[in-house]
Amino acid sequence: MNIRFVPSNKWKGKVKDAQKKDKAFEEFTNAVWGWRAAFYLLMKYYYKNKLKTPRMIITKYAPPSENNTDAYVHNVMEFMHKNGFPNLEENATLANPYEFRFQWVQFVKAMTIQESGKMPADTKDSQLMEAFIEHAINQVLILTEIINLHNANK
C-alpha cells in the first residue's frame, strides 16, 4: 500500500532515505512492515478521526485530489463482496478490529490489490498474503493495547 513519504515518520522496517528509489512514497524492507504502517494509519483514521466506513477511510487514504476515489471504493467493495462480506455497504461501519480481524484482513488485502494493481498469483499466494497482513494487524493491535495500558496507569 502506498504511504506518502514524510521525513519525520519513523516507521519500523522502512528503507533508509538515502537508499529509497521512490522519493514520494515510503519504502519498506518487506511487505509486512508496509502493511503494519498502513494498518496503523487505518486505525488512526478509524479511532482518532472517527472514519468508520470503507468510503470514509478510502477517501482519506486515497483523496479525490490524487485518485479516482469512487473507482477505488467500488473496486474494494467488489472485492469485499466476493470474499466473505456480500452485504457490506460502502457507508456501513466496519467492525471493531479487535473483535473481527478477518474483515480488516480482507479490507487491507483489497486496498493492497487496488494500490498495486496485482492479484495474488494463486490461492497459496493469496493465503500467504492474508497471513502476513494478519500478522501486521496483530502487531499494531498488540502495540495499541500496550500503549493504552501504559496511559491508563499514568
Side-chain angles (χ1 to χ4, degrees):
M1 291 178 59
N2 293 326
I3 298 173
R4 284 261 173 232
F5 172 71
V6 177
S8 60
N9 282 343
K10 305 295 183 213
W11 298 115
K12 294 232 182 233
K14 74 183 259 175
V15 172
K16 293 184 182 357
D17 294 347
Q19 298 170 336
K20 286 172 41 77
K21 295 177 185 130
D22 186 337
K23 300 302 178 194
F25 294 97
E26 294 288 4
E27 293 178 22
F28 295 90
T29 56
N30 65 54
V32 174
W33 289 118
W35 284 318
R36 182 182 185 271
F39 185 69
Y40 177 85
L41 288 176
L42 298 181
M43 288 298 86
K44 182 178 170 187
Y45 300 161
Y46 188 83
Y47 286 109
K48 185 176 179 187
N49 301 115
K50 308 291 187 217
L51 305 177
K52 305 280 186 171
T53 71
R55 175 164 286 284
M56 293 167 83
I57 292 169
I58 292 168
T59 299
K60 173 80 171 165
Y61 189 86
S65 60
E66 300 174 12
N67 298 274
N68 182 342
T69 305
D70 287 336
Y72 195 126
V73 170
H74 172 80
N75 292 342
V76 167
M77 296 311 299
E78 189 173 286
F79 179 90
M80 296 295 287
H81 293 161
K82 291 177 182 175
N83 289 278
F85 301 94
N87 299 321
L88 180 65
E89 299 296 328
E90 65 184 55
N91 291 312
T93 299
L94 286 165
N96 177 330
Y98 287 97
E99 297 168 5
F100 203 46
R101 290 183 195 168
F102 182 69
Q103 185 180 59
W104 282 92
V105 169
Q106 295 306 310
F107 187 64
V108 171
K109 184 177 179 182
M111 289 181 69
T112 300
I113 291 166
Q114 175 64 28
E115 291 280 325
S116 69
K118 293 187 246 177
M119 289 289 289
D122 57 31
T123 303
K124 184 179 175 187
D125 284 351
S126 182
Q127 290 170 339
L128 190 60
M129 182 182 192
E130 287 176 17
F132 284 137
I133 291 170
E134 185 167 11
H135 176 70
I137 287 172
N138 288 338
Q139 286 182 351
V140 172
L141 293 177
I142 290 167
L143 179 62
T144 304
E145 287 175 10
I146 291 168
I147 291 168
N148 289 340
L149 285 172
H150 174 75
N151 291 338
N153 291 322
K154 280 188 173 182

